[in-house]
Each structure stands twice: as C-alpha cells, then as structure tokens.
Amino acid sequence: MSEFRTVAQFEDVPENALLGVELDGVSIVLANSDGEILALHNECTHEEFPLSDGEIINGQVECLLHGARFDLRTGAAKALPAVRPVKSYECRVEDGTIQVRL
Amino acid sequence: MPKNETVTDLGLDEYKYDFRTEDAPVFKAEKGLSEELVRQISAHKEEPEWMLEFRLKALEIFYSKPMPDWGGNLSTLNLDEIYFYLRPQDEMQRSWDDVPESIKETFERLGIPEAERKILAGVGAQFESEMVYHSLKEEWQEQGIIFESIEDGLKKYPELFREHFATIVPPADNKYAALNSAVWSGGSFVYIPKGVKVDIPLQAYFRVNAEQMGQFERTLIIVEEGAEAQYIEGCTAPVYTTESFHSGVIEIIIKKNARFRYTTIQNWSNNMYNLVTQRAMVHENANMEWVDGNLGSKLTMKYPSCFLVGEGAHGEILSIAYAGDGQHQDTGGKVVHAAPHTTSLIISKSISKGTGRSSYRGLCKVYEGAVGAKSNVECDALLLNETSRTDTYPYIEIDESEASIGHEASVSKVGEEQLFYLESRGLSTEQAMTMVVRGFIEPIAKELPLEYAIELNRLIELQMEGSVG
Amino acid sequence: MADGIMTRPETVGGPELLAERRKAAWEEYQSLPMPTRKSEEWRYTDLSKLNPESFERMEAVDRSSEPVASDDLPGAIREILAGDSARSGTLVELDATIARLELASEAVAAGVVFAPIAQIAEQRPELIENFLFSSDVAPMERKLWALHVAALSGGYVLFVPQGVHVENPVHIIHWLSRSGAMLSTHSLIIVERGAEVTVIDEFMSDDLDGDSLSLNGVEVFGGDGALVNYLALQRFGSGVKHFSMQHANTPRDCTLNSFNISLGADLSRCDVTSHLLGPGSDSEMLALWFGGRDQRFDFHTLQHHAAPNAHSDLLFKGALTDKAESVFRGMIRVDKDAQLTDAYQTNRNLLLSPDSKATTLPSLEIAADDVKCSHGATVGQVDEHQLFYLTSRGLTREQAERLLVFGFFGEVLARMPVDSVRDRMTDAIERKIEIR
C-alpha cells in the first residue's frame, strides 16, 4: 500500500475551488466541497480535458469543455457526455497540508 | 374546453409584438439576445431560482463558445435579427394571407385538411386535436403517464424534472445546446411509469398548439424500467414560419428493459436553419430507436445519438434526408458503446436533387470494456442531378478489441437500366424516377406511421416533378 | 544541436534551383505553426512534443563515384542486395550519404536518368524544374512538407523517357544509423508517356537508443498511358518517427499503383494522395501495417477524381497487438465534372489485444452524380468460428491465430507486383507475429 504524500497546503484550495496538482507524473485535481477536500484524476473521461478548469456544483465537478459531470467523492459519471467514471484518490488533510495516496 | 380563438387580421408590423397582460409588466419582444431577455423569459414562466441561474450560466457558455468550423454554412445566420422569445399568444398573430402561395399550393396538393393548414402555417388554433388530446389525457393520467408541456413539467414535477434535466445534454455540450439552455421555451415533458406500455404514439401536435412551433423547444422524456412508448413530432407538410432559426434539445432516458422510439419528420421552409441536439441514454437491455426524416430547411445539422451505458443495450438510428435546390442536410447519427454486449445500427438514406447537398456525419465510439459490442452503419446516397452533391464523414473510434464494427457507404445515381425497365412498362421517366426514389427510402419509410408514410410518398411525387430534363 | 539551415538559411549552397526552393520552404516553415490536435488532420496524433530543432540534420553527400564496399554496409542491406532478384537500378543511402548508385546498362542506353537530386538540379534542371516540390499539399500538411524540403538531406530523381519499359524494379534503400538525427529524403519519379517502371523505396534502421526523425517526400508524375508501381517498405527499428508524404498525379490512361507496408518505427504517418487528372486514369492504393509494443500508425489518403472516367481502388489493412494504435483517414473526393467515376475504399482493422485501438474515418465528398462510389470500414477481432475450425483440426490457438492474421493480410500481399519483395515482407510479418 503506497503512502500519503503532501501535494498542497489547505489554503491553496479555498471553498468551492479546484486545483490541479501533479504527483509522480499523475495529474490530480483537488476540490474543496463544503470544506471537505476530495481528490480525483484530473482528466475528463470524455475527451481528456483537465477537470481543474471546470467548476464545482452540488458535490460534483463539471468539465468546462462539454459539461460532463462527476461525483467528487466517488468519481462516478453523473452527466453525459461522460460515460466512464474518473478515478478517485484517497485524500486527507493533516496539519494544514493536503495529502493524497495514489 | 378552451375556446377556438379566431384569428383576425392584424397589421403585422406595428401591433404584433406589443402586449399587455393583467398581472405581468409590459412585455416587449425584442430582437437579439441579452441577459435581460433571459431574465424576462424566466420571470414570465415563473420559474424557480435554480432554473434562472441555469439559464444565465448557459447564456455565458453560449457567448464563450466559438461557432463550429465544420458542418453547414452558418455564416448568413444573423442572431441579432432573431426574436429569441415570443410568447405563445404573440406567435399566433399571423395572417393566412401572409403565407406564401407555394406553401398553400403544397397543402392543396397534399390534401391537408383546411384546419390543419392553418396550424402548419402558424395561423390558427387546432380545435379538433385539442379534443382528442383531452380525452387521451384522462386515460393516461389513470396509468400515471405524464405528457405535459415542458413548463408544466417543471412546475408540477420539480424533483423528477431537476433530477434528469440537462444530465443528458449539458449546456456546455455545444454552442447551440447552450443557446437552447438559455432561451428554451416550449417542448414536452414525458414520463412513462414502470412497466407501462403505451400503445398510441404520443404526438407532439396533440398538445396545446402554442408551443408546438417553438424555435427553442426543449423536451425531456423519462421511460422507466420495462415501459414502452413512442413519440412523434413534426409532419411532412411544409411548415411556414417567419422565424428562421430553430435550435432544439431533446433528452431521453430509457431505463432497464424499456423500449422507446422517437420519430421526427421535419419539413421546415427553405429559410430555416435547423440545429438540433437529440440524445438518449440507454440502460441495461433497453432499446432506443430514432427515426429521423429531414426534408426541409435551408440547413439542418442534426445527429440523433444513443449512449449505450447498460449491458445489452441497443440503439438504432434510421435517417432519411432529402436535399433539394439550395438545401443542405448535414445529418446522421452517433452511437457510443460504453457497456458490454451492446449493439447498434445506423441506416442513413439520402437523396440530393438539383443543387441540393446531403452530408452524412456519424460517430461510432466503443470504449474499452465494451466487450462484444456490435455496430453496423450503412449509408447510401442517391444523386438525382449533375449538380447534386453528397458527402460522408463517419468517425469510428474503437478502443475495445472484442468488438465487431462495420461501416459501409455508397453513392450512386438512378441507374439507366432501372429507368429503362420501368419506362418500358409504360411509366413516364418522372414516374419511374419517383418509383426508384421511393424504393430507395422504403426500408426506413416502412417504419413510419401510416399517415406519415402516405404523406411522405406524396411529397416525393411532388418533388420529383420537374426533376427530369 | 541543429545546425545549417535551421539557423543560417543563407548558407544553403549547391545548385540554384534547389537552393531557391529550399530557402522558400524554410521561410514557409518558419511562418507556419505546428498543427495541433484541434485540426481534423492531426486530431489523433499529437505533434506537440515534436521538436524538429532538437535533431541534427545533415546535408546530402554523394559518394556514388566511390561506392561503399559490401562489407561496410549494414548486414540487413547486404542481405537484401545479395538475395533480391534482378534490379534495374540500385541506390543505397546511409543517412545522408549516397553509398551506392547503379543503373543497368540497357536503362542507361534507353535514356533513363537515375541520380541524386542535387546532381540533376545542377546538370539538367530543365528535366525537373516543373515537377520538383510542385505537388499540391493540403494546408495542414504544409508545415511538415516545408520542413522536409528545407532540411533536405538526400533523395533521387528517376526519369523514364517516352515508351521505355524498365525491365526490373529500381530499388532504393534508406538507412538511418543513429538516434538524434533528422533525415529528409525525396523521391522524384517522372515517367513519360507510355513508359513503365516499378520503384521500391525501403526504409530501415536498427533499434535506436533514442529518437530520430525521418521525413520523406514522394512525387510521382506519370505521362499519358504510363504505368508506375510504387512500393514503400517501412521497416525502421524503434525510436524512429517517420513522416511520409506521397503525391501521385495520373493523366489520361495512366496507371499508378502504390503499396505501403509499415512494420516499424514508433510513429509512422503516411499521407498517400492520388490525383486522377485524365480520363482512363487508374490508381490502386494498397497498404498493410502490423503494430506491436506501443507503435502508432497514422494513414491519410486522398483519392481525388478530377477527371471523368477514372478508377481508383483503395485497400488498407492493419493488425494491431500489444498497445499499438492506428488511425485511418481516407477521403474520396469527386469533382463536379468527374462523371463516370468508379471509386472504392476499404479499410479493415484487426485488434489482437485488449489494449490495441483503431480509429477509422472513411469519408466521401461527391459532387458529380453519374458515379459509382463506395467505402467500407471494419474493426474487429479474429473470427471465432474460423479460430475454432482451425484449433479443432489440431492447431494450437497461437498457430491458428497466426494463420488467420496471415489470411487477413493475404489480400494485400497477393496484389504486390514484385515477388521477391512479397516474399521478404511475408517473412518479416511472420517474424513479427511470432514475437508477440
């Protein structure tokens, strides 16, 4: 089981914001949904556009390009044209830092 | 029973668009698009806050997206000259005298009943069909079937509506979906409960006619598990309208084991830009059929789609396109296989006459994991004149090795031998051509309800006149 | 680091005809952006990481007067030269150096010209000035074409005069020796009225320890009633990114057939264009590719019917295994006046592994009505029934699959005009199938 690694500071992701980070070459998007930080793979499963360019709506992230939506917690596809879920990563906040486990 | 409103001759220019109602502020319809207009629309419909926000956000998305650089020629479409919202009453104030002669003649030739002619010309209220609608409505209500205008759908079934609305076609999907999402008005809301099988096709023109010619209609259809139904909109007779831009969005959700067919026949007048996004999400073992007839308009861009997301789902698109002089039909279909053992079929038949141009544009996408997916696409184009044009642009993206995908297209003209044979049996060249064309579209025409098929045949006959020589 | 034309265009020397065109190409190259995935033609192939300036380019060197000895040639080339049957002409290019150039005496006597471009540009410019680099290159291909011309590192002119039938194939072997290099070779083939010739351009290298860039341009101009068979065999090792832009022009009654076999390289992109310019012209375009590892194959074809009564028939077949991916984009374009056109296009893809992927976009644009045009594309796996049939007759599943893949390619291999090449390619494919 791999370890939790720090990818950002808690202040870097304010309420309702998205932030794209990289860990070991993997592109990850961090989302602050009602104070909780969640992490997903930063690539829409429709046409590979970065989800970090989109916006958070009601616990989902909406892709800027065609409006596809994914559940922030599970990564499940919630609106077409996405049909495949996006990978979700374990994420926690410790001592003000955001840590993700790949 | 609502009264049959008689249409009086109103001077179109000065009076038409100024209106006063008792409880609402003066509404003055204006050309062009603006945030103000969107707010007015939402206020008029007394929509909840979330819908207003949705519309405003969609407007922003519309402004931010570029015009597509593929498809038909949209350069002469001037959005500043278009009325984006006319209240239903406004739309009715047109005079029969203003309808072009050629349209009136066509009605005559096609044998369209008097009352219907006025509807098609956007000129009157359809009394007879209202009656039919009301009696069917009672029957349906008992079964729990919902068939309302989209505005009433939002008002009466807010949770159901919100759960599904814009999940199939989000505003950001494409520029014209964004536009529709901002200014949508009119359309249908349909809900078929679990296991219910509706044997009479739901017809758009049964509903109160005001919204039927909506330029920016929005339709949401939910078919629950095991249910079955059919929906028909449009008609083969030419629809005359002063408005020249139609951008609709149709979202359909078909749940497990359900079956649904959506039939559209469009014969908009030749000044119309017709851009429509039609999409269905098909769940496990469910079945979806699009039957799409595109006969009119100056330019149509329409690609009914099936997203096959449940195992064993099946999607079919049967498309007929007729492009006469000066027309461009850019149509086709899309299928997305996102689950195992899904199947799809696209059959497209197009006819180009005079300087008409028909283009097939399609997508077949198979995601990895869609094991056992099978898809077949067949597009055939018939060219009737030297000046006619046709194109085929399929996109086939296959990411699953255990899938079987086939695509075939052919282009030809009416064969000399065929004509010779028919003429030697006493048919005139024109009659022979008509027979060949009818035979060409027969595989799809036979899927149409009888009255449409008859009208379609008559229409072809009409179009074939003067096609020779 | 790049040198020469990349940084100092005024230093291009050599014959004026060539230098002029290369300088103009350099200007054009600089003025155009690299195509991105937003354009249709490059939607599936990402050029964003391609940096031509990071490769070392070379100027052509002609050592044909002191040909390199057989022992000094790479083993693979030696084998071909020793083994292949009769040839009417041979050219071996080691990177930018022409190491060997031979033309059969009968051909010489008949007036056939087979020489490096620079040499002809110097000695007989009138022979090529109306042809060299004159092809109608589509807007999205122009950047790479301009680079190819500007960075020219070698190539040849093959000129066959009226009525001359060149008896045996003319075979050109291009060898890329190392990583970090950019090679740009051009084949200019001019075949006059009634003449006949078969040309083979073969591309090879070992597996490289880094990346190299191979640019290739082919222009074939046929005369009335001429017959040309053009074969391109791409068998690079790993590390190579190969871009081949092939343009053929057939006037009245001219037949021009092309065969592309792509087995190697990391990325192989071929643009195969055929302009049917005169009635009675005929073009058969065949291709075959077999991908493994994470190879990418990208084919763009155009059958352009500009004249009536012409015939074209395209058959492109590919099989992919491991993580290989392919794209086929084929267009049949029939102009308004091209009545009685007969044009066909077929693309078949076999996916042999779960991670392989095929994208196919067969397209038609038809503006004439009295035509017969059709296209078909399929993507699928080896037929289960056929597999069962063979395994039930005692073959292992691997053996059965191999046989079926061979059967799949058989259609294309059977139509190759040069027996020895067909045999060699069959061997190469067999070896590739076995390795996986």
Side-chain angles (χ1 to χ4, degrees):
Chain A
M1 187 66 131
S2 61
E3 305 202 335
F4 273 99
R5 311 249 291 283
T6 300
V7 290
Q9 301 301 309
F10 186 71
E11 309 87 71
D12 295 334
V13 192
E15 181 86 23
N16 251 356
L18 293 162
L19 178 69
V21 297
E22 228 181 78
L23 183 59
D24 285 351
V26 177
S27 194
I28 298 174
V29 56
L30 300 171
N32 184 330
S33 179
D34 282 331
E36 194 185 345
I37 306 286
L38 299 158
L40 297 175
H41 187 47
N42 192 11
E43 207 178 78
C44 181
T45 57
H46 175 235
E47 270 184 33
E48 293 154 27
F49 199 74
L51 291 171
S52 49
D53 283 0
E55 73 182 270
I56 298 184
I57 303 176
N58 285 337
Q60 298 174 354
V61 58
E62 184 179 282
C63 179
L64 179 69
L65 207 53
H66 300 107
R69 277 189 263 133
F70 302 91
D71 184 290
L72 281 170
R73 200 174 299 279
T74 63
K78 286 295 178 190
L80 294 185
V83 288
R84 284 290 153 92
V86 92
K87 188 160 181 193
S88 79
Y89 298 106
E90 270 184 77
C91 182
R92 70 181 184 200
V93 178
E94 265 201 12
D95 298 327
T97 69
I98 300 175
Q99 298 177 344
V100 172
R101 170 151 59 195
L102 282 180
Chain B
M1 207 80 74
K3 277 167 60 178
N4 188 11
E5 292 188 54
T6 337
V7 172
T8 53
D9 235 12
L10 296 166
L12 272 176
D13 295 322
E14 352 110 10
Y15 191 73
K16 181 178 181 181
Y17 303 122
D18 284 11
F19 235 89
R20 209 173 271 272
T21 62
E22 292 140 21
D23 46 2
V26 173
F27 172 69
K28 191 178 173 77
E30 280 169 2
K31 291 187 194 175
L33 195 55
S34 67
E35 185 186 313
E36 182 53 34
L37 178 73
V38 173
R39 285 182 184 279
Q40 274 187 12
I41 295 173
S42 196
H44 249 265
K45 294 175 187 289
E46 295 170 348
E47 290 174 347
E49 186 71 21
W50 75 263
M51 184 52 87
L52 171 62
E53 272 168 34
F54 174 83
R55 286 183 185 271
L56 290 172
K57 184 170 159 209
L59 184 65
E60 263 175 56
I61 296 175
F62 172 72
Y63 285 141
S64 73
K65 280 202 183 270
M67 295 266 276
D69 57 2
W70 52 270
N73 177 12
L74 288 164
S75 61
T76 52
L77 175 60
N78 184 357
L79 295 178
D80 295 327
E81 285 299 307
I82 299 206
Y83 287 92
F84 283 88
Y85 181 60
L86 290 169
R87 297 190 318 164
Q89 302 93 304
D90 310 329
E91 289 195 51
M92 297 323 298
Q93 310 308 327
R94 259 181 234 122
S95 149
W96 177 249
D97 292 341
D98 296 307
V99 177
E101 275 312 307
S102 56
I103 302 281
K104 289 184 188 169
E105 240 176 68
T106 310
F107 288 157
E108 186 75 46
R109 301 284 302 278
L110 287 177
I112 306 278
E114 187 74 31
E116 283 185 36
R117 291 187 207 186
K118 295 210 164 127
I119 299 301
L120 296 168
V123 170
Q126 183 164 24
F127 187 61
E128 290 88 3
S129 67
E130 262 185 48
M131 287 192 62
V132 179
Y133 170 61
H134 279 286
S135 65
L136 275 175
K137 199 165 178 204
E138 272 156 33
E139 216 183 286
W140 290 335
Q141 255 164 20
E142 277 162 38
Q143 296 181 277
I145 297 168
I146 303 170
F147 182 22
E148 304 271 3
S149 69
I150 187 106
E151 284 85 356
D152 282 345
L154 171 58
K155 282 208 176 84
K156 297 183 187 172
Y157 308 96
E159 272 131 38
L160 185 60
F161 192 96
R162 194 167 181 183
E163 189 190 329
H164 296 286
F165 184 76
T167 57
I168 308 300
V169 182
D173 192 272
N174 63 77
K175 188 169 175 91
Y176 297 98
L179 177 60
N180 176 284
S181 299
V183 297
W184 67 264
S185 177
S188 305
F189 177 70
V190 177
Y191 177 83
I192 318 285
K194 268 198 193 148
V196 173
K197 299 191 200 311
V198 187
D199 37 15
I200 300 186
L202 304 169
Q203 296 227 27
Y205 86 50
F206 277 166
R207 282 188 303 99
V208 178
N209 52 41
E211 293 90 334
Q212 112 201 25
M213 307 303 183
Q215 300 162 257
F216 300 105
E217 89 228 349
R218 182 106 189 185
T219 290
L220 177 58
I221 298 175
I222 301 155
V223 187
E224 284 285 3
E225 276 184 40
E228 277 179 35
Q230 251 203 73
Y231 184 94
I232 302 181
E233 69 151 340
C235 62
T236 53
V239 174
Y240 170 69
T241 163
T242 51
E243 303 316 325
S244 57
F245 182 37
H246 173 250
S247 181
V249 170
I250 295 149
E251 299 181 279
I252 306 183
I253 295 126
I254 301 154
K255 298 201 182 165
K256 191 166 150 177
N257 297 325
R259 301 180 66 91
F260 194 75
R261 172 188 279 198
Y262 189 101
T263 302
T264 317
I265 307 287
Q266 153 290 96
N267 193 1
W268 293 111
S269 48
N270 284 9
N271 59 336
M272 182 64 102
Y273 286 89
N274 183 32
L275 314 176
V276 184
T277 306
Q278 290 173 254
R279 188 176 298 165
M281 185 168 188
V282 192
H283 289 272
E284 202 183 315
N285 288 322
N287 202 293
M288 171 71 201
E289 282 164 15
W290 293 99
V291 179
D292 196 29
N294 289 293
L295 311 173
S297 84
K298 176 170 165 163
L299 167 65
T300 289
M301 286 171 61
K302 196 205 281 187
Y303 323 97
S305 318
C306 294
F307 276 65
L308 307 169
V309 301
E311 186 160 341
H314 176 78
E316 254 179 57
I317 299 149
L318 306 177
S319 165
I320 297 182
Y322 171 87
D325 275 320
Q327 290 183 281
H328 184 186
Q329 305 286 10
D330 197 295
T331 60
K334 300 190 199 175
V335 287
V336 175
H337 291 250
H341 303 294
T342 45
T343 51
S344 65
L345 177 66
I346 300 180
I347 301 184
S348 160
K349 298 250 178 202
S350 70
I351 300 160
S352 304
K353 178 170 178 282
T355 59
R357 178 179 171 193
S358 68
S359 312
Y360 169 85
R361 204 172 296 269
L363 169 71
C364 173
K365 188 170 164 102
V366 178
Y367 279 86
E368 204 179 327
V371 166
K374 281 200 182 56
S375 175
N376 262 296
V377 176
E378 193 188 307
C379 14
D380 296 317
L382 194 59
L383 297 171
L384 299 182
N385 299 101
E386 261 185 40
T387 43
S388 317
R389 267 195 69 175
T390 186
D391 317 295
T392 312
Y393 304 109
Y395 288 75
I396 303 163
E397 294 175 32
I398 314 300
D399 212 343
E400 168 52 57
S401 63
E402 285 180 56
S404 175
I405 311 300
H407 167 100
E408 268 164 43
S410 71
V411 177
S412 58
K413 68 172 222 178
V414 175
E416 292 297 331
E417 319 81 54
Q418 271 179 305
L419 284 180
F420 180 71
Y421 175 78
L422 292 168
E423 283 166 24
S424 72
R425 296 241 162 340
L427 292 166
S428 70
T429 310
E430 227 167 66
Q431 288 172 321
M433 287 275 270
T434 309
M435 267 201 83
V436 173
V437 170
R438 278 219 214 110
F440 178 71
I441 57 171
E442 198 258 351
I444 300 180
K446 74 175 175 10
E447 300 297 324
L448 296 171
L450 190 62
E451 61 271 21
Y452 281 93
I454 294 176
E455 276 177 24
L456 184 61
N457 272 327
R458 280 204 220 130
L459 195 78
I460 299 281
E461 242 172 62
L462 240 182
Q463 299 287 8
M464 295 315 292
E465 269 170 33
S467 64
V468 181
Chain C
M1 254 336 272
D3 69 328
I5 204 169
M6 288 305 162
T7 49
R8 299 189 294 279
E10 65 275 10
T11 63
V12 175
E16 200 184 310
L17 174 66
L18 205 49
E20 227 170 63
R21 295 187 186 189
R22 288 178 64 189
K23 281 188 196 152
W26 174 234
E27 299 290 324
E28 189 177 8
Y29 172 74
Q30 287 192 299
S31 73
L32 293 171
M34 190 65 97
T36 62
R37 291 183 67 182
K38 288 215 179 96
S39 76
E40 278 303 313
E41 292 83 346
W42 293 94
R43 182 170 148 157
Y44 301 99
T45 298
D46 190 359
L47 288 181
S48 62
K49 306 223 171 60
L50 182 69
N51 184 8
E53 329 252 330
S54 65
F55 296 97
E56 188 194 327
R57 62 156 291 271
M58 302 168 228
E59 278 293 330
V61 172
D62 182 359
R63 267 199 59 188
S64 55
S65 48
E66 321 132 23
V68 169
S70 270
D71 289 340
D72 294 331
L73 290 174
I77 300 185
R78 267 206 312 275
E79 255 177 60
I80 296 173
L81 295 180
D84 260 0
S85 42
R87 291 184 297 278
S88 287
T90 311
L91 192 154
V92 177
E93 249 184 4
L94 303 176
D95 294 323
T97 301
I98 296 188
R100 192 180 282 205
L101 176 56
E102 287 157 9
L103 185 61
S105 47
E106 316 81 70
V108 176
V112 172
V113 174
F114 183 41
I117 295 184
Q119 186 185 319
I120 303 300
E122 177 85 59
Q123 297 170 359
R124 298 186 59 184
E126 73 287 351
L127 201 62
I128 62 173
E129 67 192 351
N130 291 332
F131 299 102
L132 185 63
F133 307 139
S134 67
S135 291
D136 186 9
V137 176
M140 277 300 142
E141 320 302 337
R142 289 215 70 89
K143 174 100 173 162
L144 285 180
W145 179 262
L147 176 61
H148 157 63
V149 174
L152 199 68
S153 69
Y156 62 90
V157 174
L158 174 61
F159 171 83
V160 185
Q162 264 194 50
V164 174
H165 290 207
V166 179
E167 198 180 331
N168 296 310
V170 175
H171 196 154
I172 300 94
I173 302 179
H174 309 265
W175 176 264
L176 199 159
S177 71
R178 58 193 168 86
S179 61
M182 163 157 59
L183 282 187
S184 179
T185 110
H186 195 84
S187 311
L188 178 61
I189 301 166
I190 302 165
V191 181
E192 287 199 323
R193 151 197 302 260
E196 282 181 27
V197 71
T198 295
V199 184
I200 306 167
D201 262 325
E202 190 158 359
F203 298 86
M204 304 166 68
S205 76
D206 289 325
D207 284 338
L208 304 178
D209 58 7
D211 289 350
S212 270
L213 182 58
S214 160
L215 300 168
N216 167 242
V218 180
E219 297 181 287
V220 184
F221 295 92
D224 291 5
L227 168 63
V228 183
N229 283 317
Y230 177 77
L231 288 78
L233 313 172
Q234 185 276 95
R235 304 176 46 218
F236 280 126
S238 60
V240 181
K241 292 177 179 20
H242 179 62
F243 295 85
S244 174
M245 299 161 272
Q246 304 167 15
H247 295 264
N249 300 281
T250 48
R252 168 182 288 276
D253 296 325
C254 176
T255 299
L256 211 154
N257 303 321
S258 70
F259 303 82
N260 269 276
I261 302 210
S262 289
L263 300 173
D266 286 349
L267 166 64
S268 178
R269 155 98 178 206
C270 292
D271 284 78
V272 186
T273 303
S274 186
H275 295 281
L276 294 113
L277 305 168
S281 55
D282 199 308
S283 184
E284 260 185 30
M285 296 151 80
L286 279 81
L288 173 171
W289 60 95
F290 189 2
R293 296 182 283 115
D294 51 6
Q295 288 179 291
R296 306 209 73 201
F297 297 91
D298 192 350
F299 286 93
H300 282 226
T301 68
L302 171 63
Q303 291 153 262
H304 175 208
H305 285 254
N309 259 303
H311 170 259
S312 68
D313 188 358
L314 182 147
L315 178 61
F316 271 46
K317 285 184 142 181
L320 301 173
T321 183
D322 303 330
K323 299 195 168 108
E325 290 182 16
S326 73
V327 178
F328 169 78
R329 185 187 196 91
M331 168 69 78
I332 296 181
R333 180 174 298 140
V334 177
D335 290 352
K336 226 163 89 42
D337 297 322
Q339 297 293 6
L340 297 175
T341 286
D342 252 357
Y344 308 95
Q345 184 196 90
T346 309
N347 169 229
R348 304 230 178 281
N349 299 279
L350 204 53
L351 296 181
L352 300 168
S353 66
D355 289 329
S356 52
K357 177 174 173 170
T359 298
T360 165
L361 290 68
S363 317
L364 302 172
E365 276 178 12
I366 316 289
D369 72 313
D370 196 355
V371 304
K372 284 205 208 103
C373 292
S374 66
H375 71 207
T378 59
V379 181
Q381 343 157 245
V382 167
D383 190 289
E384 278 302 322
H385 298 293
Q386 291 186 323
L387 208 56
F388 176 71
Y389 176 84
L390 293 171
T391 51
S392 69
R393 266 149 188 71
L395 292 173
T396 65
R397 197 193 162 90
E398 289 76 45
Q399 288 173 322
E401 238 182 42
R402 244 180 268 147
L403 212 58
L404 290 172
V405 173
F406 251 104
F408 176 71
F409 285 137
E411 212 185 341
V412 174
L413 288 170
R415 282 158 78 171
M416 290 196 68
V418 184
D419 290 348
S420 59
V421 169
R422 185 189 329 128
D423 292 341
R424 270 198 305 117
M425 289 302 109
T426 304
D427 286 341
I429 294 169
E430 222 168 54
R431 259 175 288 134
K432 210 167 167 179
I433 296 181
E434 257 152 49
I435 291 171
R436 69 179 197 91

